Amino acid sequence: MPLDNIAIIGAGPAGMGCAYELINAGQACFVIDKENIPGGLCRTLNFHSYLFDIGGHRFLSKSEEINQLWHDVVGRDFLTVSRLSRIYYRKRYFNYPLSFLNTLWNLGPLESGICFASYCRSKILKKEDDSTFEGWIINRFGRRLFDIFFKTYTEKVWAVAPKDISADWARQRIRGLSLRVAMQKAIFGFKKDAPKTLSDKFLYPRSGAGEFYGRLKEQAAAGGAQFMFGREVTRIRHDNHRITALGIRGAGDIKEEELPAEYLFSSMPLPLLVQKLEPEPAKEVIMAAQKLRFRSFLIVNIILEKEDIFPDQWLYVHSPDVKLGRIQNYKNWSAAMVADPRK
């Protein structure tokens, strides 16, 4: 039975996926986003026909259902990209995922010996706290390799000490990876059940990650979804049991528009969601929301007068002497990202 007035706040991956599933289930909905294009933090920016993702988003899943969805939406414009990403550290390039022989060569025999001794020590002596990111990595690589390849980069990205980050993050990102696995890979190659971090190929839309969300929008709109871009949600009215209406306003608009809503899916930041509730929630809810912390993401996009720079899709910059986490080269994700192949 079709439902009335289903609102979705945010046209990022969560909001667009929600709209797509609702329309396919025969439910009409409307989507509100303050940006002018879909995709959220996965949208692709167009600057004079040069395309940039916000951070770079590879498509990689072991779920057949997810892979089928991607192919159904993007079709022939999905590229299979051979992955190359390395770590820049001590003015050398290390393969990532860590390659045993490459790491051994770049670190040199003395440092490699110290790393191996540190790994053996972590296996023999008392284990670190496996519930923290730091402990989880040390238990699988040893403290020396943790300090070299994980500590500085993690602190750059999150501005939080690795001992204060949950091991859940490590399990998601590098589940199944350890020094032993890296050595096995160097000797025997990949196995079918290798962790995703070790995957040497990934899928990518020809015109950037945002192309997928643009296609989702087209298909959802064709099924009856309404999209309100360039609009910001100013308030969320409710009667303590159910959503009743949303207040929205476009950039530069003086007058607020009120839209009736009975059901709400929201992907906006939780502190903002709590602030916009009318009537406002209990004080302890407001205080809890205000304590949530977020990490800003600063990107500098540069077009260079050079045909080739490096062969990698991205480089991790682990060197502690520069405040930079990663360098993307979108031309190596898809040639269509660059308007002039000489640049």
Side-chain angles (χ1 to χ4, degrees), residues 39-113:
L41 289 177
C42 292
R43 66 188 183 277
T44 299
L45 308 177
N46 187 321
F47 180 79
H48 298 301
S49 297
Y50 290 86
L51 305 177
F52 300 92
D53 284 352
I54 299 181
H57 301 278
R58 60 188 176 129
F59 288 66
L60 182 66
S61 176
K62 291 185 177 181
S63 167
E64 289 303 319
E65 182 181 0
I66 296 296
N67 283 312
Q68 189 61 53
L69 170 66
W70 289 340
H71 283 288
D72 288 346
V73 173
V74 181
R76 295 182 179 179
D77 289 321
F78 237 142
L79 306 177
T80 299
V81 182
S82 295
R83 169 185 174 167
L84 176 61
S85 59
R86 291 176 293 172
I87 294 170
Y88 181 69
Y89 178 73
R90 293 183 180 177
K91 298 184 179 181
R92 291 179 178 270
Y93 294 95
F94 294 78
N95 291 344
Y96 187 80
L98 294 177
S99 164
F100 178 71
L101 297 177
N102 171 263
T103 303
L104 185 70
W105 175 264
N106 278 321
L107 289 177
L110 178 60
E111 183 65 57
S112 295

Side-chain angles (χ1 to χ4, degrees), residues 270-338:
L270 281 173
L272 290 180
L273 178 70
V274 169
Q275 288 175 19
K276 295 178 187 296
L277 289 174
E278 188 180 286
E280 68 178 28
K283 287 185 179 180
E284 55 266 31
V285 174
I286 297 174
M287 291 177 63
Q290 290 173 344
K291 290 179 181 178
L292 291 174
R293 297 173 61 199
F294 294 84
R295 182 71 166 145
S296 294
F297 198 40
L298 181 65
I299 306 166
V300 179
N301 292 326
I302 304 173
I303 300 169
L304 297 175
E305 297 276 357
K306 192 171 184 180
E307 187 169 353
D308 293 301
I309 305 171
F310 50 79
D312 311 68
Q313 282 86 37
W314 64 90
L315 295 171
Y316 299 103
V317 183
H318 285 215
S319 294
D321 52 337
V322 290
K323 294 184 178 180
L324 171 70
R326 189 166 59 186
I327 302 173
Q328 304 279 158
N329 186 352
Y330 291 110
K331 186 178 184 181
N332 293 341
W333 293 62
S334 168
M337 303 290 279
V338 178

